Amino acid sequence: MAKVNFVGATLRLKYVAGHDAQNEPMFTTKTYRNLNSSHSAEDLVAVAKAIASLSSHSLDSIVKQETTDFS
């Protein structure tokens, strides 16, 4: 049977930074690395929203990316 090992996780907050000449949104992303595997989705969303409240840009999306090893 394969063993799954958690390597790391990254949280990405995507903000709407403005609009271009065609009124399409322009985005900027802030990345937070070295997340612990024990954090729940609810905890991460609460923290992301708290961080986003400090920004002058509006939050567009929250993405968690996990890396695992299989052995």
Side-chain angles (χ1 to χ4, degrees):
M1 181 185 299
K3 183 179 176 186
V4 179
N5 298 317
F6 176 81
V7 175
T10 302
L11 185 68
R12 290 195 176 112
L13 305 182
K14 183 174 160 186
Y15 297 95
V16 178
H19 293 82
D20 63 11
Q22 290 78 29
N23 206 25
E24 294 293 321
M26 296 184 305
F27 299 101
T28 186
T29 304
K30 180 65 180 166
T31 304
Y32 299 92
R33 302 184 197 291
N34 301 323
L35 296 180
N36 194 329
S37 64
S38 65
H39 300 298
S40 70
E42 292 81 16
D43 292 340
L44 293 175
V45 169
V47 168
K49 287 182 178 181
I51 292 170
S53 72
L54 302 173
S55 175
S56 61
H57 302 301
S58 61
L59 183 63
D60 182 67
S61 66
I62 305 166
V63 175
K64 178 185 175 187
Q65 182 177 12
E66 287 189 11
T67 304
T68 55
D69 277 342
F70 298 108
S71 55

